[in-house]
Each structure stands twice: as structure tokens, then as C-alpha cells.
Amino acid sequence: MTDIIQKVKNLSIGFRSKKGEEILILKNISTNIKKGETVGIVGESGSGKSTLALAMMGYVKHGLYTIGGECQFNSSNLLKMKSKDLEKIRGRKIAMIPQNAGQALTPNLKIGYQIDEALQLHSDLNEKEREKKISELLNKVRLPSPETIALRYPHELSGGQQQRVAVAMALAGTPDLLLLDEPTTGLDVTTQAHVLELLNFIAKDTGTSMVYVSHDLGAIAQVSDRIIVMYSGEIVLEGPSRDILKRPIHPYTHGLLKSIPKLSLAGLPESMPGSQPQPGTIQSGCSFFDRCNFSDENCKNNSPQLEFLKDINTSVRCFNYEKLVKENQVSQTVNKIKNKSQDKEILNLSEVSISYAKQKLLDQIFNRISDDNPTVKDININIKKGETIALVGESGSGKSTILKSIAGLLRTKDGLIRFDENRNLSSDLKERDPNDLRIIQLIFQNPDESLNPNHTVEEIIAQPLKLYFGLKGEELKKNIIDLLQKVRLGEFYTSRYPRQLSGGEKQRVAVARAFAAKPDIILCDEVTSALDVSVQAAVLNLLQQLKEDFGTTYIFVSHDLAVVRAISDRVAVLYQGRLCEVGPSNDVYKFPSHPYTEVLLGAVLEPDPDIKPKLVAEDIVEERPPEKGCSFQGRCSRMVGDICKKEIPPWQLTDSGNAIRCHIPIKELQKEQF
Amino acid sequence: MKLDNLYKEEKKSAFAKLSEIIITMASRPSGLIGLSILLFHIILAFISPYVAPHDFKAIDPTLMLQAPSAEYWFGTDDLGRDVFTRTILGGRTALTITFFGSLIALLWGGLLGIFCGLVGGKIDDVVMRIVDAFLSIPWILAMLLIVSLLGTSTEVLIPALGFFYGKGIVRVARAATHDVIAKDFIVSAKARGHSNFSIIWNEIIPNVRDAILVEGAMRWSWMLLGFSSLSFLGFGVSPPTPDWGLMISNARGLMSFAYWAVIAPIVGLSSLIIGINLTADAFAKALGIDRSTKAPV
Ligand SMILES: Nc1ncnc2c1ncn2[C@@H]1O[C@H](COP(=O)(O)OP(=O)(O)O)[C@@H](O)[C@H]1O
Ligand code: SF4
Ligand code: SF4
Ligand SMILES: [Mg+2]
């Protein structure tokens, strides 16, 4: 078989624990990568997918070692190769594109120079040829005006452009195999869709084999011919992309696909219980047993082997896969959330502007902020008690900035933030009284950052209880345990440190801490973005449950439109710190009328090979909002002329109460959709 | 709950934590050697007055520069004093003064560093400029100036040394604080409305403590070297109190024919510095800290 370019055979990689036990990160992995195909490796963090990808270029991370097996490339085992020989292969024959291209590029060297370096290292071209090749490569990755890009420094490019440069550098050596580790994670939805489209194009154009590693089934679905699903260091399912996504015959993949929120379905999807076991904790039986809906006694004691099913060209590691074969399609059921909001207004932002501009001396003296073009401007939102309102937009659109102002972490420049119709919250922390601080609590994106690593869970949850209610002793303890129960964590968690918890558990602790203050409003800043897909739904369900129990109001910030669709009653779309559209979720999602909303919704990646993203606007990133006119003018493909550049568009109301800010008349906006 | 076995670790008392750290330190050969040397010196400093075989200040012209013998194990010096006695006593002053000096350095350096990291902005700029300006003065010159103005008493030496060696700690504490304050748990505490004091005490100090302690331990060995240099120049301990730096300085001219008088204090001083160094290094490793300051040896 000559068309196999990488053959992984019985590969096991692991490390030695402090106690001297051998702990496996990869367990007996075998797979082949064929010429010209794109293989997606999907799994949650800790499943071993990156370790596998790195091994495919003969690299084993520090602290890990190869226990057995091999990675054959051109019939030589990369894992046994001398580093001198490996150097000849890496970059030339096998290239890697890392997750964060911005960090992988050298900051003080021009883009062109860095690509030239790669060319000198990995090709035998002479100076003239290299010169030509640099523009060719930049052209190939569709960067605008390659000549000027080559002269820029990495920090002068946007994240998506940096990622394109990384692709260009990887292609410098015309590799046979391209390894991509989470190449679009951390990019904006719109950028992500563009980069994936580029990768698809390059795969076709150059015939390079690709191994695409990601936790995101949506991204994997767009690029892969074949998918490998990893769980706990094992391949649990491997087969043609379409079959895996449409008819997953492994319970893990099945459950995963059911728990991912989809744009087409409003409401919270079923969540998968538990979390992936830590390496070294599974002694016997199937590693998915704890979380499986199809398990039986057999699964508890015996480990299933990977079984190849010839008729569907799929390998599966499950005793009971036949039950799933019968089930045929994944039918997703969701719990429609009920809009429990009352008519009573709880928070009102009127004409709010926020600026990061440095205060000049004169301004400091007069205690004012002068900035004609502030980061966030003219925000008018009226939030009702008990509702969940989502703020969506790409990164830098000012979502977090608005939350910070509501929490008092940032002073507003102009405008009024009013709580409960009469309390003025347009002041920062120092000027607010403790009760004003208590009623608004924050939950952050990354619980690793938001929980003090040196505090136990008990100390973490005790903080607001002590601060706001002065609780002590037995009563404090009782309250902490109550709160832990509310977030479905047992009492024994009290003495643990954050590092001893899984991502989902940490976020539950953060949720408990927020609720400990008995707040009226909770600001959720990307609270599910850092979580594994399989636990996202569980956290969303928990938030919804708590909200219904306590009547809390959520302001929910996210860049993930499917998640927003699942949980929010109302959506506000932001571009460059200016509102574009505000309305009930159903309407915003059903009749995407504002051109920017259209772009955002079009770019969403769904774990379905039949739903391709629509690439409407350019994936450029603007540094600053425009001085005049519509905030979206720089990227709008439906601009109606000079008026968009000169005048701020008016708010227009649809029949269903959706407010849209665009110069295109509302009738026409909606007409274009159908 | 399968995970429970993994998560046996519970909240520990400070004592339990410390003993665990020491065990981890001792599990490396270099850490074990360092700890043993340091422990040896500390014990020696405590018991030496009781076990010294001779009077450290008894001058006897008839015994001048005797080679090592059964009576005088390390020989005698130019005044006929027993070198063994003086060597085992010679580390006490240095160890005590530098230990307290390091504590002072830790305290002011750590607090100022945390403060600068926390407030940032102009104040931070100005303070760091001043600290840098002080760093650029050759410390030995400044020390000589201080000592010649205020004398060489312990009350002068401890704070003076503490001051000069605290500057490096300011940098480390400030950098560590900078890393921590960007974290969301600080933002979260601020948003809840905790006082600055509570934020420093509960959120920041537990997260920068290790880095500062390691730096302090490192500074200790630097300070020992510095203090001994002062003694060597005659500005540290005053005679007849035995001190390694002073002993080395007195005996170095006689090196060619009475090497014993100089070798013993050299071994004493360098072993102590190496001991502290290895210990600080093992301490850093046990805490999982990347140390930037290099050791003096
Ligand atoms: N501390 C800061 N200083 C200056 N500019 C900032 C700061 N934080 C955010 N910004 C800028 O404000 C804009 C909005 O940022 P942010 O509110 O974080 O957006 P989002 O949360 O929607 O990603 C961005 O252009 C960002 O670069
Ligand atoms: S083997 Fe059993 S426990 Fe494992 S995935 Fe299959 S049904 Fe579930
Ligand atoms: S106002 Fe003009 S630029 Fe702005 S979204 Fe509407 S059409 Fe596009
Ligand atoms: Mg944000």
C-alpha cells in the first residue's frame, strides 16, 4: 500500500507518576493517514489528541515517553529517528501549524523575512526564486496585497491573518503532511470560517494530507474526509466524516452530538453527565462507562476493543454499538426555555459610552473623560427582571467592556446605568455602596483564572458570604454546603483546591460563588467558552435551573451564537462597541435582518457536513470604530451608498419588536432573505 | 467516585506543608546535601560555645603559628589562638546578622514590590526608578559609607544589609504581583468590593509568597558573601570576635607557610554559602518555581 503516508502502529505514550506508576496518555493507537486525505482528530482536552499529532512528527513532549509502538513515515519510525534526520523531515515533509500562530511568529521580524527563513531552511530555491515564492505563498493563503504584508510585523496583522501567515510558512517546504493543532480555536467565528475554507482549498490545490486536531466538531465537520474520535487516550470511533456526524455508533460521539447546541434549535440540549476521567484512573472496564447511556454489566468489567466494521468502513470501541446502529440518526431534543421575565425593569443602560482613552492632565483635574470616538458608544438597553439577555459580537466588539462598566470595574464616559428604576449605578466601585456591589455578580470565562489557586473551594465560596452577610462558623459552613449542593457538587469538595477539579467542576464553584451573594443580576462573560464540549451543556442547564429557582437576571456574553440561541430570551448584537440589533432571540435568529447579524449567523460552524458556512463579508479586523456613519460600514456588503458613511443609521422596529439599526428600509432587509 | 483516590490531598496545616516541602527537597541529592550542610552549620552555631576546646581570645605568643596537632587540630594563628575553636565559632555572627538581615530584606522588599505591582502607573514608575538608581550604586561603597558614619554595630549592620539586599526582592515581588493581578480572581474580588488590604492579604500574598521566599533565601547567600567581604575589609565584626572573613583577611599573608590558618575559615564560609544555595535551589524546585536570580557561587 503505497498511498499511506503516515502509519501509526500500536502507539502508547505515557509518563511516570510521582509514585512511580506508569500512566498512559495514549493507549495502543493504530491508524493510517492516506495521501491527500484530511483526517480530523476530535476529543476533549486531555483525550490525547495533541500528543498523537505531535507523535506524528516524531515529537514527544517533555516529561512523556514512548512506551511502545511506532509512527512510520515513508517506512521509517519517526520516534526512533536521530534528531539530525528528523530535522530534515520536519518542516520539509511534515509541517505543523500551532494553535496560536501569533505566538509562534517571531514578533520583531518582518513577515516576509520569516517566510524567507522557512524557505531557506526547507527548500533549495535561490534568492530570485525565493522572492517569487514568498509572494506566491502569501497569495495562496489569500492575504491582501502580499507585497505590503511581507513588510509588516506580526503584531500589525489580525489573528486570522497571522494564522494565514502560519499556513504560508508551513507550505514553504511543500510538505506531504500538514498537522494542524486547533488552528482556528481562539479566532472569531467569521475568521474561523474563512480560515477553514482556505484550508479546504489548499488541501484540494496541493494534494497535501492534513491531520486536523480540534475539540470543535463544527470545525472538524467542515474540513475532514475522515474523523477519529478520541476519548481518554483511546480511539473510540473512526470512520468517514459523514457517517460519524450523521450516524455516530459510539455512545460518546452520540451523546456529544446531542449535547451541542444548534442554531436551528432554540432551547437547551440534553447534557452529558460527568466528565472525562483523569489519566490513570480507569482500572478496568470501558473508559466511558461512568457517562454512558447504553452501558451494561459487561462494560464495567471488560474493556471493549476497537472493532472494524467492514460494511460501513468504521471502527468502533463499544460492546453495544449495535443498539446505536439501530437508532440510525441523532435526534436532538431540547428543553425549550420559558421566558420568565416580568415587565419590571431591573437594569437600564441609556446612552452609555465607555472609553479606554488615557486621561490627559486637564481631564484628570476636572475628572472627566474626553474621547470623541470611544470604544463603546450609545448603548441603550432595557433589561427586564428575570430575563436572559445576550450580548453577541466578535472579539473586541465591546461585550466585556460593557459588563465591566455594569460591574463598576470601569467608569462610563457618558450615559446612565440605572438599577431598579431609581438606583444610579453610573459610578465605579469606590463610589458604590456594598449592597450595590452585592446585587451584581460576575462569572468569568476561565475558571482557572477566576479562582484563586491557593484557596480551597470552601474559602472561595466563603468570601462573599463573609463579606456581605458576615456569616461565621457553623452557619457559614452550612451555607457553603447548601450552595455546593445547588451546583450539584458534594460536600467533600469543600477541602479541595481548584487544581483538583475538572474544568466543569471549577466553573460550578465559580457559579456557586456568584450565587452566594444572592445577586439580582449575574454577568456571565463567555462562561462556557473554556469548557469542554461535553460539559458545556451541563453548565448551561445548571445556569438555567438556578435562574428559574432564584429569579436571577442574566446578562450573557458570548461569541458562540448557538450557545446564545440555547439560553437567551433576548439578543443584542454589537459591532465595534455600537449596537446593531436588539430583539427577542427567535426573531433575531429567524429573520437575520441586520447585515452584520447575517454575517455572524452565516459563519457559524455546525457539526453537520451538509451545513456549510456562508462567507459574506471580508474577514478583516478593524482596529477602531469609524468616526462617522454606520459602525459596520467597513465590512458591509450591502452598503446603500454614502449615507452609510456619513450618517448614523436610525433604529427601525419590526412588527415583532425587533430593533434594527440600518439605513436599508426594514421591508427590504427582510425581503432579501427570502 | 473513582476520582476520589486521586484527590486524597486535603487542606493541610502549615506544619504539614512545610514538612512535605522539606521531604521533597531532601529527595534530590543536591537538596539533601544543601540541607545537611545548612543544618550542620546551624547546629554548630548553637553548640559551638559549649564544645569549643579552647578560649577563642586567649593569646599566647609561645604558640604562634603552630601546625595542626593533637591538641590544636587546625593549628594556631599568628597570635597563638586555636584555629579550630575560632573556626567553629566564626560563623555565628555572620549567620545571625545575615539571617535577620534577610528577614528585613524580605519584609520591605516584598511589601514594596507587592505595593508597586498593585498600584502600577506613575507611583510604580517612580519607585522602580529609585530602586534602580540604588541598584546601580556599588553596594560595597555605600555599605562602607554607612559603616564609617554609623559604626559597625549589629544594629547598623542588620538594617543596612537588609536594605541593600532587599532591592532585588522588590523586583521579584513586583513581577510576581503583576502576573497575579491580571487574573480574574482579583477582578472578581474587586468587583465584590473587598478592601485593598483583604485583596493583598487573601488573594495576592498566597500567590506571590513562594517566589518571594525563594528570592529571599537566595539573597541570604549573597548577603553572607557580602558581609564576609565587609569583615575581610575590617568593617564587619570587630576583633577579637572570631569571624571567617576577618580570619581569612588576617591569615592570608601567612598563606605560604601557615596555610592551616586560612584554609579552615575558607572551608567554613564557602560550605555555608554552598549549603544555603543548594537549599534555596531545592526549595525553589520543590515549590515548582523558575528562579531567575543566579547564585553567587
Ligand atoms: N484595558 C484596555 N485598555 C485599552 N483598550 C482596551 C482594554 N480592554 C479592551 N480594550 C479594547 O476595547 C475594545 C473592546 O474590548 P472588549 O470589551 O474586551 O471586547 P469583547 O469582550 O467583545 O471581546 C477592543 O478594541 C479592545 O482592544
Ligand atoms: S462499551 Fe459499554 S460503557 Fe463503553 S461505550 Fe459501549 S456501551 Fe458504553
Ligand atoms: S447602515 Fe449601511 S453600512 Fe450599516 S449595516 Fe446598514 S447597509 Fe450596511
Ligand atoms: Mg470578552
Side-chain angles (χ1 to χ4, degrees):
Chain A
M1 285 246 267
T2 48
D3 66 337
I4 291 176
I5 80 165
Q6 168 91 238
K7 191 182 192 115
V8 181
K9 235 162 79 183
N10 304 329
L11 179 66
S12 293
I13 289 181
F15 65 93
R16 215 164 266 290
S17 73
K18 271 189 190 164
K19 291 191 198 111
E21 291 162 292
E22 192 164 75
I23 290 177
L24 292 169
I25 297 286
L26 288 183
K27 301 173 196 162
N28 205 6
I29 303 278
S30 300
T31 188
N32 296 324
I33 311 294
K34 297 202 195 77
K35 249 195 195 117
E37 80 172 338
T38 300
V39 177
I41 303 182
V42 66
E44 42 201 278
S45 59
S47 61
K49 54 191 188 313
S50 294
T51 310
L52 176 56
L54 288 173
M56 286 184 179
M57 64 185 299
Y59 182 78
V60 178
K61 260 188 271 179
H62 183 75
L64 299 181
Y65 58 93
T66 312
I67 291 161
E70 46 192 57
C71 287
Q72 279 184 9
F73 182 76
N74 289 340
S75 41
S76 42
N77 181 6
L78 296 174
L79 296 169
K80 288 255 166 68
M81 218 178 250
K82 289 200 197 69
S83 53
K84 230 174 64 209
D85 299 328
L86 268 179
E87 274 166 27
K88 285 195 200 121
I89 292 181
R90 285 188 195 150
R92 252 177 207 238
K93 300 267 194 248
I94 307 179
M96 176 116 190
I97 296 176
Q99 170 167 355
N100 197 331
Q103 275 166 26
L105 296 171
T106 319
N108 56 349
L109 295 178
K110 289 190 183 126
I111 298 297
Y113 184 90
Q114 298 195 43
I115 297 179
D116 190 43
E117 259 187 348
L119 283 172
Q120 287 185 31
L121 208 60
H122 303 310
S123 74
D124 308 311
L125 304 176
N126 64 32
E127 217 175 303
K128 270 263 156 53
E129 290 167 328
R130 289 206 309 272
E131 224 166 71
K132 228 179 90 204
K133 188 84 184 174
I134 292 175
S135 356
E136 225 179 271
L137 284 170
L138 288 172
N139 248 325
K140 183 166 257 166
V141 296
R142 309 220 195 102
L143 280 163
S145 54
E147 279 71 28
T148 50
I149 291 269
L151 296 178
R152 296 221 196 134
Y153 291 95
H155 69 90
E156 296 172 314
L157 305 183
S158 70
Q161 288 175 327
Q162 288 175 347
Q163 203 62 9
R164 282 163 195 262
V165 171
V167 176
M169 277 171 74
L171 292 177
T174 50
D176 299 325
L177 177 61
L178 198 54
L179 304 171
L180 305 108
D181 194 356
E182 303 267 6
T184 61
T185 307
L187 298 178
D188 271 317
V189 264
T190 47
T191 318
Q192 203 175 14
H194 279 274
V195 171
L196 287 176
E197 194 262 341
L198 170 73
L199 291 174
N200 269 335
F201 163 77
I202 284 177
K204 281 212 189 69
D205 192 52
T206 60
T208 309
S209 308
M210 291 191 187
V211 171
Y212 190 105
V213 177
S214 179
H215 71 283
D216 182 355
L217 268 171
I220 293 265
Q222 304 310 321
V223 289
S224 328
D225 305 319
R226 206 147 58 81
I227 293 180
I228 296 175
V229 182
M230 302 218 24
Y231 189 77
S232 218
E234 290 172 327
I235 294 181
V236 293
L237 186 62
E238 174 175 356
S241 179
R242 177 168 294 271
D243 294 343
I244 301 272
L245 294 166
K246 293 272 186 192
R247 277 179 300 280
I249 56 168
H250 190 279
Y252 170 62
T253 319
H254 185 87
L256 204 57
L257 282 162
K258 273 181 135 176
S259 68
I260 298 174
K262 314 264 158 48
L263 270 190
S264 50
L265 272 174
L268 288 165
E270 282 172 57
S271 60
M272 205 191 273
S275 58
Q276 187 182 231
Q278 299 280 329
T281 48
I282 294 291
Q283 309 305 340
S284 65
C286 174
S287 54
F288 190 60
F289 177 73
D290 275 4
R291 310 173 73 184
C292 186
N293 285 332
F294 297 84
S295 61
D296 52 33
E297 267 311 295
N298 186 23
C299 313
K300 193 173 179 182
N301 306 314
N302 300 310
S303 314
Q305 296 302 310
L306 199 61
E307 196 177 324
F308 182 64
L309 310 174
K310 207 156 176 214
D311 50 335
I312 50 173
N313 200 12
T314 298
S315 302
V316 59
R317 187 187 295 274
C318 174
F319 293 122
N320 302 329
Y321 69 84
E322 272 159 6
K323 287 190 201 164
L324 285 119
V325 172
K326 285 192 204 104
E327 213 169 277
N328 220 348
Q329 287 251 337
V330 181
S331 57
Q332 195 172 25
T333 50
V334 293
N335 287 322
K336 280 247 158 62
I337 57 159
K338 286 160 250 123
N339 187 342
K340 288 234 174 114
S341 66
Q342 307 163 3
D343 271 341
K344 195 167 168 297
E345 166 196 305
I346 189 159
L347 194 76
N348 182 294
L349 283 83
S350 79
E351 304 293 321
V352 170
S353 298
I354 309 159
S355 166
Y356 282 109
K358 267 217 171 114
Q359 279 172 277
K360 299 198 188 72
L361 188 63
L362 213 59
D363 298 329
Q364 279 181 7
I365 293 170
F366 291 108
N367 197 18
R368 63 177 188 203
I369 303 168
S370 56
D371 181 0
D372 295 336
N373 197 17
T375 306
V376 168
K377 197 174 168 191
D378 293 342
I379 303 295
N380 289 300
I381 309 177
N382 188 348
I383 297 162
K384 303 238 166 56
K385 190 167 167 51
E387 78 170 334
T388 300
I389 181 160
L391 302 181
V392 303
E394 288 157 293
S395 69
S397 59
K399 310 181 293 287
S400 303
T401 305
I402 295 175
L403 291 194
K404 276 191 210 154
S405 263
I406 298 175
L409 290 161
L410 204 61
R411 236 182 76 192
T412 52
K413 176 183 170 297
D414 297 311
L416 206 61
I417 302 177
R418 222 173 22 180
F419 176 78
D420 223 2
E421 294 179 351
N422 50 35
R423 289 242 287 285
N424 183 356
L425 289 187
S426 318
S427 50
D428 64 12
L429 288 175
K430 282 172 239 130
E431 298 152 34
R432 295 192 187 182
D433 70 45
N435 196 46
D436 288 344
L437 294 170
R438 181 190 63 77
I439 54 181
I440 297 175
Q441 293 292 314
L442 271 158
I443 306 174
F444 296 85
Q445 171 171 8
N446 191 344
D448 285 325
E449 298 250 320
S450 69
L451 304 179
N452 189 329
N454 277 300
H455 289 174
T456 58
V457 167
E458 177 169 359
E459 287 166 330
I460 289 168
I461 301 176
Q463 280 185 327
L465 293 172
K466 286 197 218 160
L467 181 72
Y468 298 126
F469 309 112
L471 296 187
K472 279 204 265 313
E474 277 302 303
E475 210 189 344
L476 178 63
K477 184 99 190 179
K478 198 181 140 289
N479 269 279
I480 292 170
I481 292 167
D482 267 4
L483 281 158
L484 279 175
Q485 251 157 24
K486 296 222 169 77
V487 297
R488 321 257 188 288
L489 292 176
E491 189 180 332
F492 52 89
Y493 280 89
T494 45
S495 58
R496 291 200 186 155
Y497 287 95
R499 63 172 178 279
Q500 299 165 326
L501 307 176
S502 71
E505 288 169 334
K506 274 182 262 196
Q507 199 60 302
R508 281 163 197 269
V509 172
V511 170
R513 175 175 66 184
F515 274 94
K518 303 204 172 69
D520 295 282
I521 301 173
I522 294 189
L523 313 174
C524 307
D525 195 353
E526 303 271 10
V527 287
T528 57
S529 316
L531 300 180
D532 276 315
V533 223
S534 75
V535 297
Q536 256 188 26
V539 170
L540 288 174
N541 276 298
L542 173 72
L543 283 171
Q544 182 62 26
Q545 186 63 49
L546 288 170
K547 177 194 140 144
E548 284 171 15
D549 292 351
F550 292 96
T552 323
T553 307
Y554 287 151
I555 305 182
F556 194 93
V557 158
S558 179
H559 69 278
D560 186 333
L561 283 114
V563 166
V564 165
R565 171 79 163 146
I567 197 160
S568 60
D569 304 317
R570 248 178 355 131
V571 181
V573 183
L574 278 164
Y575 186 76
Q576 289 284 340
R578 278 87 177 134
L579 283 174
C580 299
E581 178 168 1
V582 185
S585 306
N586 275 334
D587 295 307
V588 173
Y589 280 77
K590 236 183 246 146
F591 316 107
S593 333
H594 192 283
Y596 180 55
T597 316
E598 219 170 295
V599 169
L600 279 181
L601 286 171
V604 172
L605 303 171
E606 300 236 39
D608 186 335
D610 294 330
I611 305 179
K612 294 276 174 224
K614 294 189 270 298
L615 305 173
V616 191
E618 296 280 324
D619 66 328
I620 47 173
V621 171
E622 297 183 89
E623 290 290 317
R624 308 207 77 222
E627 305 265 340
K628 277 194 299 194
C630 172
S631 62
F632 191 53
Q633 57 181 279
R635 286 170 66 185
C636 186
S637 56
R638 302 178 63 180
M639 232 160 65
V640 284
D642 253 7
I643 188 167
C644 294
K645 290 189 179 155
K646 290 204 179 103
E647 277 173 44
I648 294 178
W651 280 108
Q652 306 183 68
L653 273 181
T654 67
D655 299 338
S656 51
N658 196 5
I660 296 169
R661 203 183 207 180
C662 179
H663 283 301
I664 304 175
I666 206 104
K667 289 259 158 49
E668 207 163 310
L669 271 173
Q670 286 183 330
K671 209 161 49 193
E672 295 258 314
Q673 297 308 308
F674 306 105
Chain B
M1 270 272 153
K2 279 184 204 162
L3 292 182
D4 261 15
N5 314 335
L6 249 193
Y7 294 140
K8 279 270 164 61
E9 197 180 345
E10 300 262 307
K11 178 130 184 114
K12 295 190 189 93
S13 67
F15 178 76
K17 265 190 206 158
L18 188 67
S19 43
E20 189 179 295
I21 289 172
I22 291 178
I23 290 169
T24 321
M25 285 164 72
S27 66
R28 270 171 219 277
S30 63
L32 187 63
I33 294 171
L35 274 171
S36 322
I37 298 178
L38 182 59
L39 199 66
F40 169 77
H41 274 286
I42 292 173
I43 293 174
L44 191 66
F46 274 106
I47 64 167
S48 53
Y50 310 105
V51 300
H54 294 274
D55 181 359
F56 68 85
K57 53 183 187 300
I59 298 174
D60 188 344
T62 63
L63 290 172
M64 260 167 55
L65 296 177
Q66 298 242 333
S69 62
E71 177 69 18
Y72 302 104
W73 295 352
F74 291 178
T76 59
D77 67 5
D78 55 344
L79 299 175
R81 295 175 297 193
D82 177 29
V83 175
F84 178 71
T85 301
R86 293 180 63 79
T87 303
I88 61 173
L89 287 167
R92 299 186 78 215
T93 325
L95 206 53
T96 323
I97 288 188
T98 54
F99 179 75
F100 287 106
S102 303
L103 280 189
I104 289 186
L106 263 181
L107 212 63
W108 86 263
L111 289 180
L112 183 64
I114 291 173
F115 172 77
C116 285
L118 191 64
V119 297
K122 288 250 159 50
I123 301 177
D124 176 37
D125 276 352
V126 171
V127 174
M128 288 320 287
R129 262 319 130 71
I130 297 174
V131 168
D132 281 341
F134 270 112
L135 269 178
S136 62
I137 306 174
W139 72 273
I140 195 110
L141 282 183
M143 274 306 288
L144 289 180
L145 190 71
I146 294 177
V147 180
S148 48
L149 285 175
L150 302 171
T152 59
S153 65
T154 317
E155 299 85 69
V156 173
L157 283 172
I158 291 179
L161 285 167
F163 175 71
F164 277 103
Y165 286 87
K167 289 173 307 189
I169 299 177
V170 177
R171 301 207 136 265
V172 171
R174 176 177 170 269
T177 309
H178 254 295
D179 288 347
V180 175
I181 55 167
K183 296 268 165 78
D184 284 340
F185 62 84
I186 303 278
V187 181
S188 170
K190 277 190 190 159
R192 279 197 303 272
H194 283 282
S195 67
N196 275 340
F197 176 79
S198 147
I199 290 177
I200 294 178
W201 186 252
N202 290 319
E203 312 287 343
I204 296 179
I205 290 188
N207 287 296
V208 299
R209 184 190 52 210
D210 292 351
I212 297 178
L213 280 180
V214 167
E215 185 63 22
M218 227 60 232
R219 292 286 148 191
W220 186 14
S221 61
W222 278 99
M223 197 188 282
L224 243 159
L225 198 63
F227 175 75
S228 301
S229 316
L230 277 181
S231 288
F232 182 87
L233 295 172
F235 294 99
V237 176
S238 13
T241 312
D243 177 82
W244 293 328
L246 203 58
M247 287 165 75
I248 296 169
S249 147
N250 283 341
R252 74 182 203 287
L254 320 166
M255 183 107 164
S256 50
F257 51 94
Y259 57 84
W260 54 84
V262 73
I263 281 184
I266 286 180
V267 170
L269 178 60
S270 40
S271 68
L272 177 55
I273 291 178
I274 290 171
I276 294 179
N277 245 309
L278 291 177
T279 308
D281 206 46
F283 185 50
K285 287 203 176 107
L287 294 171
I289 285 177
D290 227 359
R291 209 165 35 78
S292 55
T293 321
K294 288 286 167 288
V297 286

